[in-house]
Structure formats: C-alpha cells, structure tokens
Amino acid sequence: MEPTKQNPNTPKRLLSLIKQSPNTRLLRQIHARILTTTTTTSALSSLFYHLLSASVSIDPGGAIYAAAVYAQIPKPNLFIINTVIRSFAGTIPALSIFKIVLARGSPRPNSHTIANTLRACGVGATIGEGKQMHCQGMRNGLCGCLFVGTGLVDLYGKCGWVGDARKVFDEMSERNVVAWSAMIAGCVRNGMVEEGFGAFREMREAGVVPDEITMVSVVSGCAVAGDLGMARRVHGCVRGLGIRGDAELDTAIVNMYAKCGSIQMAREVFDGMKVKDTKAWSAMIVGLAIHGLAEEALELFSKMLASKVRPNNVTFLGVLSACAHGGLGSEGRRYWTFMLDSGITPTMELYGCMVDLLCRANLIEEAFAFVEFMPTSPNPVILRTLLMGCKKSRKLSNKGEAIAERLLELQPSNVGNYILVCNVYASVSQWEKVSDVRRKMKEKNFEVQVAGYSSIEVNGHVHRFTMGDWSNPEAEAIREVLHEMNEKVLATGHKPDLSSVLHDIGDEEKGKDLVEHSERLAIAYGLMKIKAPGTIRIVKNLRVCDDCHEVTKTISK
C-alpha cells in the first residue's frame, strides 16, 4: 500500500510557509498558490491577514503590495480592519489600507480605526493626509474621542503645526497623561519651549501625574533654554515622581545638564546610570566635547569601546567635536578613519564636523580639499564653516570667494549669510567688497532681525545684556567693574584681536567696542553679584568673537 501524500496546499501548510518566508519574492509565490487553491472565505481571510503581517515585517514601507493583499480579503468586518491597521500602525501600509476602507464605503471607521491610522501619518509627518484624517474624524463625530484627539495633537506637533495641535487639544473633553505629553512634546520639538513649560504647569494644575515620557520632553526643553535653575527644579520633579532607571530619561537629563553648563552634574547622573546604552555614552561624550574637555571626552570614548558598546554617528560627532575644540587635528583624522573602518557612513553633520576640525586647526587648504572630495555637494552649514575658517585665518583665496558666492546663491534670502560674508571681507580689510555686500542687503530690504545678547542667572532671575547697552539700573557699577576687569586682562599680556571688530574705524575705537561686547557686560555683572566660589554661567545666542573667547579664558584662570 502506497503512503498517503500530504497536500502541500492546505491552509495549515500555506500558513507555515508564510511564517517561514524570508523575502517578498517567496511571499508572492505563496500568494499565487493561495489564490489558486483556497476556496473558503474564512481560510482566505486568515491567510491574507498573515500574508499582510509577513509582508510588512519584511518590508515596512511596502504599501502598494500590502494594499493589494488587503483588497483581496473578502468582506472584512470592522474588527478585522482595526486589527490589521493596528498591526501596521506606525507604518505606511496602514494609511493605504485605510484609503481602501473609505473607497469601499463600508464599514464606517470608528475611533480605533482613525487613531491607529493617524500613527501612520506621523511616520512621514504627512500633514496633507493628516488633515484628511482630521476631516474624517469630524465627519464621523470622533474628534472628541481621547484616542483620536491625542493622535491629532501628536501628528500636528510632529509636522510643526503647533497652533493646530493646541486647538485640537483645547477642544478635547478628556485629556490623559498621553495627551498632555503629546502637547508638551509638540511645543518643545518646534522650539516653543516657554509654551511647553506652560503646558506642563497646566498639566500639574489639572492634577495629571506626568510619566517618564512627559519628563523627557520637559527635560529636553530645559536643554534648549539653557536655564540651569530650571534644570535643577525639573530634575527635582523627576526625583519627586519616583521615576528611576529609565535610560531615555536619564540620557535626556545628562544632555540637559551639559547644555545648561553643569558638566559636573551631567557626569554624576551618567555615572549613576545602571544601564548605559549607545545614546547615553554619546550624550556624555558630546557634553564633554562642548565644554572643551577634549581629553575627558576621548578617554570616555575609549571606555565605551572597552565596554563593548557600539558607537554611532552621534558618538563620532562628539569625538570629532572634542578633537576640534582641543586642537587635535591628527587625532581627528585618525578617529575619522576609525569611523569609516567601523562601517559608519558619514552624514552631512559628520562631514561638517570634520571641516570644522580642519578649519580650527588652521588647515584651510586641507579643509577645501576635503570638501572637494565629498561624495555629495556641501550644504550651507559646511560652506559657512569654511568661511568662518577664512575669517579666523584672515586669508581669503579665490576658493573662499567662490564659496561666499555659492552660499549666497543657495540661500539668497538668508540675511545671516550676507552678514557672514560681509564679516569675512571685513576681516581681511576688503572694505569695498563689504560695501558691495551691504548694498545688496539694502536692495533686498534686509534687516538684522537677531541682535546678539548674553544672559546670566542671578538669584533665580535672568538678566540680559546687549552690546553697549547701559540701561541696567546698576550701569555705573557695571562700568567700573568692566574697566577694572579690562585692566587686569591687559596686565596679563593679552593683546586685543581688533579683527573681531568688523567696521572700518580706528584701532582705539575698535578696542572700545570690544570691551563693551555683551558677554563682557554679563561677566562684569556676574563678578558683582556672584561671590566665590560660585560659578558664573553666561549664555549667548550668537557665536562668541575670537577676542572675547580669549578674554573669557583669561578671566577664568
């Protein structure tokens, strides 16, 4: 008697093949076999559902094929639709499937359908499709639902439409911690830090207890604001909430303290972390780098490698930045080679960091050669870095002038670029070209919209200073401290870098201008108000000039 052969096309066998399929090509072959051998509606629905799951697992962006598979499911009910969309929430196929649901006309979507589809819109921050989803929610009377409202707030925040996010948020009848977190994150993500802090205060007043996700956004906002007092209060709030051991939140706190000027607190938090992933190591390395602690940053990078933690792009941004600030040109080249050997593809940011390293080391020609051999065209940030290198070296070759022209071509409406080009020409005393650039700015009706200022926090109050501004009530006392401070700096042998004054005036006037730069006014005020061993922390919205940088280092000693 011959043994009975197993039918290879049974639903059970086909399901097993789907689960074992390693690629889309094999899935399509199984798909064809299903269509030619399966007859029952229930079997088709089950097999197509698993086929969809497998296709998205293999290719999350394969919207066209996923939609084609879904379209062949016979008469799916709302439960199947929501299950499928929920399985694919956060991927593009979910959006494609929702469009098929609308095209069929039935069944009508409910709150779960729209809420899960909104997550797919947020993946690519597609505001047009997001607004369509908003209309669908309104048409079906679902916008008041907690899940739909939260999804809309999150979507609008990710797309930069914070006003629309706030409008939806204010119209929600119920708001849980997820909704509040989405609103706060939207504000902070788009640079609206004060609005984010305001929403956080409203949340606390409403009696809603924040979680670790909420606090990551609030902590990130403190990092942007650079307010150390606020940072300490927020950290105290985290402790008070009893949130412990959350790696993402601890990493955000490390970054916050580093950005707010307290690298010691950043290191304490980092050292206290039980689990340190790549993000945590990278945050600490970047923090040390921006504080000019090159040796400590590179030493920590060595410990990271010894701990078998794999570095990423952000890690090497910190390493290269440390080399740049520490004047370690040869080390920077070595780490660049090590990065390439590690299989990391350089991003534009990494290219920019390497250009900055070469420019700071006064290797301008090498920086130009590096940019010429980049596989992609340099972005405006890299072009500006090259021009800053020309300004620092006080050398402007034909290549430098070509870079200046290219920058103005790429961003003809960016007033900051015109100011930079003007300053570069001024640094090499090409006053005619300075006049030409200023004439072009006048023709374009440009106005300098961002004034340079420095701020200092004293006793919980932030005091802001601008160059030559003597409106402070204690102006006379500040002037006396400033004069004494300048005399002591000159006594150390410091020679003012008059090229930092970018006006065609006499040397005496240039020296006077330097003394009244905003950061020096803030330092003088700090010396008046903060007694030793207190720390004077100055925050400036623009780049510090070369002379003020050297003076600040002298005062710190």
Side-chain angles (χ1 to χ4, degrees), residues 61 163 232 293 324 371 463 508 535 555:
R232 286 171 173 155
L293 302 172
V371 171
H463 302 265
E508 186 176 345
T535 302
I555 295 172

Side-chain angles (χ1 to χ4, degrees), residues 65-241:
Y65 180 63
V69 174
Y70 173 79
Q72 293 175 336
I73 297 179
K75 298 180 180 179
N77 58 32
L78 195 56
F79 174 77
I80 292 177
I81 291 170
N82 287 343
T83 300
V84 170
I85 291 179
R86 185 173 63 251
S87 299
F88 304 147
T91 63
I92 301 302
L95 194 56
S96 301
I97 290 170
F98 183 78
K99 290 178 180 178
I100 296 175
V101 173
L102 293 181
R104 286 177 172 175
S106 67
R108 290 180 60 184
N110 63 12
S111 60
H112 295 286
T113 319
I114 293 178
N116 286 320
T117 309
L118 279 169
R119 290 179 58 194
C121 294
V123 172
T126 48
I127 188 62
E129 290 172 325
K131 282 189 170 291
Q132 291 177 20
M133 294 298 301
H134 193 173
C135 290
Q136 287 296 326
M138 294 177 66
R139 187 175 299 165
N140 291 280
L142 300 172
C143 286
C145 169
L146 175 63
F147 302 118
V148 174
T150 302
L152 287 169
V153 170
D154 182 59
L155 172 68
Y156 282 132
K158 287 178 178 176
C159 294
W161 293 54
V162 182
D164 291 69
R166 184 73 209 205
K167 184 177 180 182
V168 172
F169 182 78
D170 289 341
E171 291 174 351
M172 292 174 63
S173 57
E174 180 187 359
R175 303 169 193 154
N176 62 4
V177 64
V178 181
W180 281 101
S181 298
M183 188 67 250
I184 295 168
C187 292
V188 172
R189 186 182 293 116
N190 291 281
M192 301 172 65
V193 177
E194 288 301 323
E195 290 80 354
F197 289 158
F200 180 63
R201 286 190 290 269
E202 290 179 51
M203 177 185 186
R204 300 306 304 272
E205 291 169 0
V208 179
V209 179
D211 60 11
E212 56 269 27
I213 296 174
T214 318
M215 296 313 299
V216 166
S217 294
V218 176
V219 165
S220 300
C222 286
V224 174
D227 186 336
L228 182 59
M230 174 68 78
R232 286 171 173 155
R233 291 192 290 274
V234 168
H235 192 191
C237 179
V238 171
R239 291 195 185 103
L241 291 168

Side-chain angles (χ1 to χ4, degrees), residues 200 210-223 231 234-257 265-266 269-270 273 275 277 279-280 283:
F200 180 63
D211 60 11
E212 56 269 27
I213 296 174
T214 318
M215 296 313 299
V216 166
S217 294
V218 176
V219 165
S220 300
C222 286
V234 168
H235 192 191
C237 179
V238 171
R239 291 195 185 103
L241 291 168
I243 301 175
R244 295 285 187 275
D246 186 86
E248 184 178 2
L249 179 55
D250 286 343
T251 300
I253 293 173
V254 169
N255 180 61
M256 173 186 72
Y257 275 125
M265 284 299 301
V269 174
F270 175 78
M273 292 177 65
V275 178
D277 59 9
K279 291 181 179 179

Side-chain angles (χ1 to χ4, degrees), residues 241-519:
L241 291 168
I243 301 175
R244 295 285 187 275
D246 186 86
E248 184 178 2
L249 179 55
D250 286 343
T251 300
I253 293 173
V254 169
N255 180 61
M256 173 186 72
Y257 275 125
K259 294 286 179 63
C260 291
S262 181
I263 196 65
Q264 295 84 359
M265 284 299 301
R267 190 62 190 257
E268 284 182 22
V269 174
F270 175 78
D271 290 341
M273 292 177 65
K274 294 181 179 179
V275 178
K276 302 182 182 76
D277 59 9
T278 299
K279 291 181 179 179
W281 284 96
S282 299
M284 193 65 244
I285 291 170
V286 170
L288 291 167
I290 63 176
H291 280 263
L293 302 172
E295 292 184 5
E296 289 89 335
L298 298 180
E299 181 182 351
L300 190 64
F301 178 62
S302 297
K303 290 182 179 179
M304 177 184 182
L305 296 179
S307 300
K308 307 299 182 183
V309 179
R310 184 177 176 82
N312 61 11
N313 288 345
V314 178
T315 317
F316 280 102
L317 277 175
V319 170
L320 293 173
S321 179
C323 292
H325 288 286
L328 307 174
S330 58
E331 288 85 348
R333 295 189 193 93
R334 182 168 60 84
Y335 283 118
W336 179 267
T337 302
F338 175 69
M339 179 189 74
L340 297 178
D341 293 341
S342 300
I344 293 178
T345 302
T347 61
M348 193 64 76
E349 281 183 299
L350 283 167
Y351 279 118
C353 201
M354 192 63 187
V355 172
D356 181 52
L357 183 150
L358 295 171
C359 288
R360 286 176 181 268
N362 209 24
L363 301 171
I364 305 302
E365 290 303 318
E366 187 174 338
F368 276 110
F370 182 84
V371 171
E372 288 175 2
F373 284 98
M374 282 172 53
T376 57
S377 298
N379 64 5
V381 175
I382 292 179
L383 298 181
R384 282 193 286 269
T385 302
L386 286 171
L387 287 176
M388 288 299 297
C390 292
K391 175 178 173 290
K392 180 180 178 181
S393 65
R394 298 171 202 164
K395 296 177 182 177
L396 187 62
S397 62
N398 292 334
K399 290 181 181 179
E401 293 200 42
I403 289 293
E405 292 175 3
R406 178 61 177 155
L407 179 61
L408 298 183
E409 287 174 3
L410 285 176
Q411 294 183 329
S413 300
N414 187 327
V415 63
N417 291 339
Y418 285 85
I419 294 172
L420 174 58
V421 172
C422 190
N423 291 349
V424 172
Y425 283 132
S427 69
V428 292
S429 300
Q430 294 189 20
W431 302 112
E432 288 186 7
K433 292 184 177 180
V434 170
S435 299
D436 288 341
V437 176
R438 286 177 175 167
R439 188 187 69 254
K440 290 178 182 178
M441 293 174 65
K442 189 174 182 180
E443 290 172 354
K444 290 179 175 288
N445 295 319
F446 281 153
E447 293 182 2
V448 182
Q449 298 176 341
V450 181
Y453 67 83
S454 299
S455 58
I456 179 173
E457 182 185 356
V458 178
N459 297 327
H461 296 283
V462 176
H463 302 265
R464 180 179 293 186
F465 297 88
T466 57
M467 177 181 171
D469 178 17
W470 298 103
S471 60
N472 189 287
E474 299 181 81
E476 286 305 316
I478 295 173
R479 196 188 298 272
E480 290 180 11
V481 174
L482 188 64
H483 176 74
E484 181 183 353
M485 184 175 77
N486 187 52
E487 291 295 320
K488 289 184 177 180
V489 168
L490 293 176
T492 65
H494 172 75
K495 294 183 179 180
D497 181 2
L498 301 181
S499 68
S500 296
V501 180
L502 304 172
H503 299 285
D504 188 13
I505 57 178
D507 288 353
E508 186 176 345
E509 288 84 353
K510 287 183 178 181
K512 185 180 293 185
D513 276 359
L514 285 174
V515 173
E516 295 184 2
H517 277 191
S518 64
E519 49 267 58

